[in-house]
Amino acid sequence: MALPRAWLVLPILGLIFWYCSDVATERLLSRPYGTVAQLEADTQLEVSLEVTIVVVKAEIDKELGFTTVQVRNTNPLLTSLEFQFPVTEFGQVEAAISQELGLSIEEVRKLVRYRVRND
């Protein structure tokens, strides 16, 4: 008679364990916790990489009013960069490339190759 009573205790212990673990999980998941640092969504990330620029290709689309710039470099991890500027004049394009890449206007003029589309 002792053996059947032992079997009846096991399901009761299982139910008690299940209920206690459910309550503990609910408390842990629903309790408030403070964050160490808050996220800022309106900031831009600025990354600085050392690269040697090989060529800069600028395709000016006069009809649409923007210039697409593709920068080829020697870094094996980052072989090319692409930018789009809302300007179509050569001087403005060179200034935008200069500012974006951190180069002087003279260096940009040596590297840039233009293609003008008048579709």
Side-chain angles (χ1 to χ4, degrees):
M1 202 49 111
L3 189 60
R5 287 184 190 176
W7 285 107
L8 288 175
V9 172
L10 287 177
I12 293 171
L13 286 175
L15 286 172
I16 291 171
F17 178 76
W18 172 77
Y19 178 75
C20 291
S21 66
D22 187 49
V23 169
T25 302
E26 180 66 31
R27 282 191 178 186
L28 284 173
L29 292 177
S30 65
R31 82 177 168 168
Y33 60 93
T35 58
V36 176
Q38 294 181 357
L39 295 176
E40 293 185 32
D42 293 337
T43 61
Q44 284 195 333
L45 178 65
E46 191 168 316
V47 178
S48 173
L49 295 173
E50 292 295 324
V51 295
T52 303
I53 297 173
V54 178
V55 68
V56 177
K57 295 179 182 179
E59 184 173 315
I60 299 173
D61 193 329
K62 295 267 188 185
E63 184 177 314
L64 296 177
F66 67 87
T67 301
T68 303
V69 177
Q70 189 176 35
V71 180
R72 300 264 183 205
N73 60 61
T74 58
N75 188 331
L77 300 175
L78 182 67
T79 57
S80 70
L81 300 168
E82 192 166 309
F83 302 101
Q84 212 170 43
F85 301 114
V87 294
T88 57
E89 299 300 320
F90 293 112
Q92 294 173 333
V93 172
E94 290 168 354
I97 295 170
S98 171
Q99 183 178 1
E100 195 68 42
L101 299 178
L103 300 172
S104 69
I105 298 285
E106 292 77 27
E107 291 173 314
V108 170
R109 286 184 181 142
K110 291 177 189 175
L111 294 169
V112 71
R113 304 293 177 256
Y114 291 101
R115 179 176 170 211
V116 180
R117 294 181 61 187
N118 292 327
D119 296 335

